[in-house]
Amino acid sequence: MTSRSALNELASFRRYRPWVFWLALAMTTSAIGLAQLSETPEPTWRLLWVGMGLLSIILWFKTTQRVIAYVLLGVALGGGLMHERMLHWQAQSIPPIWLNTTFPAQVLVDGIAKPTALGWSVLTRLVDSPSPALTHAKVLLTFPKGREPLAGEEWSVELRLRETQGRYNPAGIDFAAWLFAQNIQATGTVVRLTASEPSESSWHWQSWRWLAMQKLLSVLPADSDFTGLSVALVLGEVSAVTDEQWRVLRDTGTLHMAVVSGTHITLVAGLAWFLGLALWKLAPSQRYPAVLVASLVALFAAVGFAFLAGMNVPVQRALIMFVMLMMAVWLKRSLHPVLTLSWALIAVLLWDVGAVMQVGFWLSFIATAILLWMLTIEGGRLQRLVLLHLGMSLLLAPFLLLFFQQIPTYSALANLLTAPIIEWLLVPLLLIIALLAWILPSLATLLSQLTEQLWALVWAMLSEIATWPMAVLLLSPTAWWHGLPDNTQRLTLLDMGRHELVAVWQTPQGDWLMGTGSQHGKSHSMETIILPSLTALGVKRLAGVVMSDNSEAGQKGLNVLKQRMSVEQTLSSESCLQGKMASATDALPIQGWWSDQGQCWLMMNPKAQLPAFALSWQTPKANDWPHHLPIIAPALSTKPSASSGKVDLWISAGSPVRSGWAQQSFSTQQQGAMTWQISEQGFSLFKAYKPANQRFYHPQE
């Protein structure tokens, strides 16, 4: 951008009186700031928000510099909305008495069910239950395998609820915060269906989406590898996208193009605009100008497609911006792009302030802001296109680093090559197929063969780029804080949930990983928890990996790890490092030991000057552990008996440390990962990864 064009852009921005920009910025900052408090503020804080709102009105009338007034108003609105959301969450929390117990209830299916290994995962609302405290609560339930629960159906079930505990680690997905953003009070399992069919069924707006999905699936090739991607591109339903496809899209930085985003809303609206102009030319009218007809057709198309796609945050943002653009056209007003984006930000927060807890919210608005700025660059068409993709990749990199601890190196090239095919060929073609599926299914089936060829071309390019050297850079802004002092070790127990143990052992001689994770829904914990945490801890290469088992999930985790990081050697604990493997591990700082009842323990530091300790992936049986060593293992249901002797240190993986079992008390009631420092003086707690938003992790008592 030249200096003159930059000055013109700034002058244009000032001319539009950008008070809405300051209002939006203050609302967002206040909302996300309040959400980080460790406890929900008292209801009396409402007086603070009202007072700030009144003060902003006084300042607006009494001063000429009204920016302060708009900022105060934004803080009052953002803070007040988030405060009310937090109070509502607290009031609707499931009482502890109803957690981890089975009870009958009537549930309303409130979304499209997604197939899982255990059955169907779907969002529901409790409409009838044994306690008024449970009624109207939103719950993410897993139905048993069999008939798919459909949106709008009411089922009589016996269910078992779990508290909304998330996993909190040095890095990775914060599941509990996601539940809060979705206003989901608990997760649970349907233990038994009391009837084989729903007791009642009513129309639900998600039913329309489900019906559209079935129609689209009926005309797409059933044996195609790309059917899931086609459905995701039209309806935003990603349950049929395979794990390998997710990996390729993520590693090439093209994930935004394979699901419904704001770009697709803009594309649909643009196509509908030209369709409206064509319709007007068929029957010209002086009473209804061509621009009015085209804008109305485009608006109806955008709104319809937004609901069809599920109205996620990026779609909401794009729809609001388009509605404002249409209003400016009707009123014959010009509107600055930054102010349009600011209005969209305010509208999304007013609709659902919890959106600030979603990564998609931030990436959508940040990417749009970058795009609007990049579009002001002067130059030729090809030059601007290349600079646009290059600039987007470079400017989004810090935010990808912050949220995911990784950067797709070749995202600019991947987007430059595949974006025209996806956005200008695949999306319009798939929308036409989705429409023809209702009226001319045979023609839709024929056209779907063309989508196969286009997907094959796109996937050939993406798959090749994903295999290039250094396709993904694993980085962390916190890694440089984790320097290891001389003659010191650190042991980090990751919060995996499900009483699963995965530990990172950092030593001056090299770093070790104990465990390779498991499958969590569509993703593997190696991708969502372990790798981001390794990066955040400053681990760049591994001296070795010890696998807890050789299951398919364990092997998959190991394969994903080796694609991202150098691993010198891999050991399996199935034989407890005995037999032939014992001689191979003799020089290593790890040895295997069988207990009296056949449980494998890994003896760490057996020959080092630092304190030795023992680790196991299984919950120990009574009096069945190496009593002379500190032990790390999944939680024991009862304390050791008096006859077992004193346990020097017990670190309970997957649950809080149990106090009273140690000579030194390391008691804590938090959820989250823990890092222990091991020196000649013994064990000391180095860091507890305690979430700031602790209230998301425990029900209201």
Side-chain angles (χ1 to χ4, degrees):
M1 185 191 301
T2 63
S3 58
R4 181 176 296 277
S5 62
L7 291 174
N8 292 338
E9 191 68 23
L10 181 61
S12 173
F13 180 65
R14 289 176 174 174
R15 188 166 60 251
Y16 283 103
R17 301 179 181 273
W19 59 268
V20 66
F21 171 76
W22 300 110
L23 181 65
L25 193 62
M27 280 184 68
T28 308
T29 305
S30 177
I32 192 62
L34 194 70
Q36 302 309 309
L37 296 182
S38 59
E39 296 180 358
T40 301
E42 296 295 328
T44 52
W45 276 49
R46 289 167 171 158
L47 297 176
L48 173 64
W49 313 123
V50 173
M52 292 180 68
L54 293 175
L55 180 60
S56 68
I57 295 174
I58 293 172
L59 289 175
W60 193 87
F61 283 105
K62 296 293 185 180
T63 63
T64 55
Q65 296 296 326
R66 294 175 176 173
V67 172
I68 299 177
Y70 294 127
V71 169
L72 277 176
L73 181 60
V75 171
L77 284 174
L81 288 170
M82 180 57 77
H83 188 205
E84 291 301 318
R85 175 67 181 273
M86 292 159 63
L87 290 173
H88 178 265
W89 170 268
Q90 191 178 66
Q92 293 293 319
S93 294
I94 307 294
I97 192 175
W98 295 107
L99 297 172
N100 302 313
T101 184
T102 302
F103 61 88
Q106 190 86 359
V107 299
L108 172 67
V109 180
D110 208 22
I112 295 179
K114 296 173 176 57
T116 67
L118 300 177
W120 300 94
S121 177
V122 65
L123 183 62
T124 64
R125 281 191 294 113
L126 302 184
V127 294
D128 189 15
S129 60
S131 170
L134 299 173
T135 306
H136 305 304
K138 291 180 69 174
V139 178
L140 188 64
L141 283 182
T142 299
F143 276 68
K145 292 181 178 179
R147 185 188 182 284
E148 178 184 356
L150 302 179
E153 293 180 345
E154 287 190 17
W155 288 81
S156 297
V157 301
E158 290 184 4
L159 54 85
R160 187 179 184 88
L161 298 181
R162 299 180 295 272
E163 61 182 321
T164 56
Q165 289 187 352
R167 296 178 289 272
Y168 200 80
N169 291 285
I173 296 173
D174 189 348
F175 180 63
W178 178 85
L179 290 175
F180 172 79
Q182 303 296 323
N183 203 25
I184 298 173
Q185 303 298 327
T187 60
T189 303
V190 173
V191 178
R192 187 174 70 90
L193 296 173
T194 56
S196 58
E197 294 294 328
S199 57
E200 188 177 336
S201 181
S202 58
W203 183 254
H204 192 283
W205 76 276
Q206 293 279 12
S207 303
W208 174 50
R209 296 186 65 229
W210 181 86
L211 195 57
M213 183 170 65
Q214 301 308 310
K215 283 289 187 181
L216 181 59
L217 287 172
S218 68
V219 297
L220 292 175
D223 57 348
S224 170
D225 295 333
F226 307 117
T227 298
L229 289 168
S230 296
V231 173
L233 206 58
V234 176
L235 298 167
E237 287 297 322
V238 298
S239 57
V241 180
T242 66
D243 297 343
E244 176 62 17
Q245 288 170 341
W246 274 114
R247 185 192 67 80
V248 171
L249 292 171
R250 184 182 61 248
D251 292 355
T252 55
T254 54
L255 194 59
H256 63 284
M257 292 196 301
V259 295
V260 177
S261 63
T263 306
H264 301 144
I265 292 287
T266 306
L267 177 61
V268 169
L271 294 174
W273 175 279
F274 290 110
L275 176 62
L277 288 178
L279 291 174
W280 184 87
K281 289 181 179 179
L282 292 177
S285 171
Q286 296 296 327
R287 185 175 182 181
Y288 302 106
V291 172
L292 178 61
V293 173
S295 60
L296 285 174
V297 172
L299 182 60
F300 280 118
V303 172
F305 184 65
F307 276 98
L308 188 68
M311 286 294 287
N312 57 41
V313 172
V315 171
Q316 291 177 25
R317 187 263 312 154
L319 180 61
I320 294 167
M321 292 184 69
F322 184 74
V323 169
M324 293 191 62
L325 178 62
M326 292 300 96
M327 291 177 63
V329 169
W330 298 336
L331 299 175
K332 298 181 180 180
R333 299 284 184 89
S334 56
L335 192 61
H336 195 279
V338 175
L339 302 189
T340 308
L341 184 64
S342 301
W343 275 117
L345 181 58
I346 293 171
V348 169
L349 294 179
L350 290 174
W351 178 260
D352 181 14
V353 72
V356 296
M357 303 298 293
Q358 302 181 44
V359 173
F361 168 88
W362 294 98
L363 290 182
S364 175
F365 279 97
I366 291 170
T368 305
I370 294 173
L371 177 64
L372 292 176
W373 178 73
M374 294 293 295
L375 289 176
T376 61
I377 296 176
E378 298 177 353
R381 182 174 299 179
L382 181 60
Q383 180 187 11
R384 293 180 65 189
L385 182 63
V386 173
L387 288 176
L388 174 64
H389 286 290
L390 251 161
M392 286 288 289
S393 298
L394 292 175
L395 295 175
L396 273 178
F399 302 100
L400 296 176
L401 188 65
L402 176 64
F403 292 128
F404 305 113
Q405 291 78 50
Q406 63 180 38
I407 301 173
T409 310
Y410 309 113
S411 61
L413 178 62
N415 280 275
L416 185 63
L417 294 175
T418 60
I421 301 174
I422 293 176
E423 295 179 0
W424 293 104
L425 295 177
L426 269 171
V427 172
L429 185 58
L430 284 169
L431 289 174
I432 292 171
I433 291 172
L435 182 62
L436 290 176
W438 295 83
I439 52 179
L440 290 172
S442 57
L443 180 57
T445 303
L446 186 63
L447 288 176
S448 67
Q449 300 302 319
L450 181 56
T451 65
E452 287 294 295
Q453 304 302 320
L454 293 173
W455 272 124
L457 177 61
V458 168
W459 210 250
M461 290 187 285
L462 293 181
S463 299
E464 176 62 26
I465 293 173
T467 62
W468 289 356
M470 299 181 64
V472 178
L473 296 180
L474 296 175
L475 302 168
S476 174
T478 62
W480 64 279
W481 297 340
H482 294 271
L484 192 65
D486 295 335
N487 203 27
T488 302
Q489 299 175 350
R490 287 194 187 130
L491 179 72
T492 300
L493 298 181
L494 300 181
D495 182 9
M496 306 297 295
R498 305 181 184 180
H499 298 286
E500 178 185 352
L501 188 151
V502 172
V504 182
W505 187 30
Q506 297 175 272
T507 74
Q509 293 74 32
D511 300 331
W512 287 75
L513 177 65
M514 311 297 163
T516 52
S518 59
Q519 193 73 24
H520 289 178
K522 285 190 64 63
S523 58
H524 196 281
S525 58
M526 178 60 71
E527 298 175 304
T528 58
I529 298 176
I530 302 174
L531 268 172
S533 296
L534 287 172
T535 306
L537 292 171
V539 176
K540 297 180 180 178
R541 59 191 299 272
L542 288 168
V545 174
V546 183
M547 298 181 62
S548 58
D549 57 67
N550 288 324
S551 65
E552 183 180 350
Q555 287 291 343
K556 179 179 178 181
L558 179 64
N559 294 336
V560 172
L561 175 66
K562 287 184 174 180
Q563 290 172 0
R564 298 285 192 276
M565 190 173 291
S566 173
V567 178
E568 291 184 13
Q569 55 193 318
T570 302
L571 307 178
S572 173
S573 65
E574 281 197 333
S575 61
C576 205
L577 308 187
Q578 301 295 315
K580 294 181 179 180
M581 191 173 290
S583 59
T585 59
D586 187 59
L588 298 177
I590 303 173
Q591 293 181 5
W593 178 80
W594 286 110
S595 69
D596 293 338
Q597 299 190 37
Q599 180 168 341
C600 176
W601 288 86
L602 300 181
M603 318 297 283
M604 324 290 279
N605 286 333
K607 300 178 181 179
Q609 296 180 349
L610 297 176
F613 60 96
L615 178 147
S616 178
W617 280 279
Q618 299 174 332
T619 299
K621 299 176 182 177
N623 306 325
D624 192 48
W625 56 78
H627 302 297
H628 62 288
L629 292 178
I631 58 178
I632 296 98
L636 198 65
S637 57
T638 58
K639 293 182 180 180
S641 62
S643 62
S644 66
K646 185 177 291 184
V647 179
D648 290 334
L649 176 68
W650 181 283
I651 304 175
S652 172
S655 295
V657 174
R658 295 181 180 269
S659 60
W661 296 11
Q663 291 177 342
Q664 302 177 29
S665 176
F666 296 108
S667 176
T668 175
Q669 294 301 314
Q670 73 164 52
Q671 300 289 332
M674 294 174 291
T675 297
W676 300 80
Q677 188 149 296
I678 308 168
S679 62
E680 293 180 351
Q681 288 72 38
F683 282 75
S684 60
L685 184 61
F686 177 73
K687 184 172 183 179
Y689 293 89
K690 182 177 180 180
N693 43 12
Q694 183 73 14
R695 66 191 169 279
F696 301 154
Y697 291 76
H698 301 285
Q700 175 71 7
E701 298 181 359

